Amino acid sequence: MLDKLSLTGLNFLDLGLINYLEALKIQKEAVLRVIGGLTADTLIFCEHYDVITVGRSGNLSNILLTQEELDKKNIKVIFTDRGGDVTYHGKGQLIVYPIFDLRKSIKDVHLFLRRLEFAVINLLTRYRIFAHLKSGKTGVWVKEKKIASIGVAFSHWVSYHGLSLNVAPDLSQFCLINPCGLKGVKMTSLKELLGGPIDMEGLKNRFKDEIVKIFYADPWKMKGEFKDEKVSFAGIR
């Protein structure tokens, strides 16, 4: 799979529904190839079987079930090296892993996060969903509900891990945790907001377009927009 990736442009890799640890292995192989100049930036899409992941700043108290209860539900807890706290992944949630070399553009982690967030915001606008950021909180929100979560890591300024967008997951599963360590937060999805089924393949193609626009059309375009994390929406698109 990875040996077919190109040295030019941006590679797209759709893993479909895949075990979390298997996808992480593919990510880390891609990271090594990008670091070594063996392949171009790679954008990975997938969905995961039910899993709870714990980031570097994760607190186990944000998992609200006992290990025995999780075992009965066949939900594994995996500790990982991404930023952030506790997250849930499951079928119907689009997972996006950008393996991007910041050495070739701008070495700015906050800018990278904001770009990912605005790629989601621009995507949702195509569905007439008007999303926003919350000051001091990473991710994307629709009114008071969260629709996308982000947690990343870097190796030699090459990114991995990424974001999860709730397209049509079982939202009741988020009751197993305090999502991203936020007590009382409610999650939403495109399916809940639009009231019907979502064409996942069409959504992926639109998301690719937004990623390319924000990260590759003009890599310096958004630099001046982010003096701190209280960002405005002006001039992003």
Side-chain angles (χ1 to χ4, degrees):
M1 184 182 296
L2 291 177
D3 59 350
K4 297 180 181 179
L5 297 182
S6 170
L7 268 168
T8 60
L10 174 64
N11 295 304
F12 296 111
L13 195 58
D14 192 339
L15 303 179
L17 183 60
I18 186 172
N19 177 279
Y20 180 85
L21 289 177
E22 186 179 348
L24 182 58
K25 180 181 177 182
I26 292 171
Q27 281 187 76
K28 291 194 172 182
E29 290 174 358
V31 167
L32 290 176
R33 291 174 67 89
V34 172
I35 290 172
L38 300 176
T39 189
D41 289 353
T42 301
L43 184 64
I44 299 174
F45 287 163
C46 65
E47 297 176 54
H48 290 314
Y49 296 99
D50 287 348
V51 65
I52 291 172
T53 67
V54 184
R56 292 192 304 270
S57 59
N59 188 329
L60 289 178
S61 67
N62 287 316
I63 300 175
L64 306 180
L65 271 65
T66 66
Q67 186 61 56
E68 183 180 1
E69 290 170 324
L70 291 171
D71 289 343
K72 287 180 180 178
K73 289 179 172 288
N74 196 28
I75 297 177
K76 292 184 178 180
V77 175
I78 296 175
F79 293 84
T80 187
D81 59 349
R82 62 163 173 78
D85 204 292
V86 172
T87 61
Y88 160 80
H89 298 310
K91 188 176 179 181
Q93 186 185 62
L94 178 62
I95 309 297
V96 182
Y97 294 131
I99 315 299
F100 290 177
D101 190 350
L102 271 63
R103 297 172 300 181
K104 297 177 181 178
S105 55
I106 307 169
K107 294 179 181 179
D108 187 326
V109 174
H110 290 296
L111 177 62
F112 180 80
L113 293 172
R114 301 296 83 78
R115 280 174 161 163
L116 287 178
E117 289 165 339
F118 277 101
V120 174
I121 288 171
N122 289 349
L123 170 70
L124 294 177
T125 299
R126 293 193 182 199
Y127 292 86
R128 301 186 68 81
I129 296 171
F130 301 100
H132 61 90
L133 308 185
K134 278 198 173 187
S135 179
K137 293 182 174 65
T138 302
V140 178
W141 306 71
V142 179
K143 296 182 178 178
E144 292 303 311
K145 292 184 177 182
K146 196 172 189 184
I147 195 168
S149 301
I150 298 177
V152 299
F154 292 86
S155 177
H156 300 280
W157 285 104
V158 174
S159 64
Y160 61 110
H161 295 292
L163 69 88
S164 57
L165 174 64
N166 296 334
V167 180
D170 178 357
L171 292 175
S172 69
Q173 295 287 64
F174 288 99
C175 295
L176 306 177
I177 62 171
N178 291 320
C180 302
L182 301 174
K183 293 182 180 180
V185 68
K186 299 294 185 183
M187 305 296 286
T188 190
S189 66
L190 274 85
K191 182 179 179 180
E192 180 180 69
L193 293 166
L194 297 177
I198 308 299
D199 175 11
M200 182 70 89
E201 294 308 310
L203 182 140
K204 289 176 184 177
N205 288 329
R206 293 183 179 99
F207 208 172
K208 288 178 189 176
D209 291 345
E210 297 301 340
I211 291 286
V212 169
K213 286 177 188 176
I214 284 184
F215 281 89
Y216 296 97
D218 182 354
W220 293 92
K221 178 180 178 183
M222 296 164 55
K223 177 67 175 174
E225 298 290 334
F226 303 108
K227 294 183 174 138
D228 54 39
E229 294 195 21
K230 296 179 181 178
V231 297
S232 113
F233 294 179
I236 298 301
R237 217 178 150 76

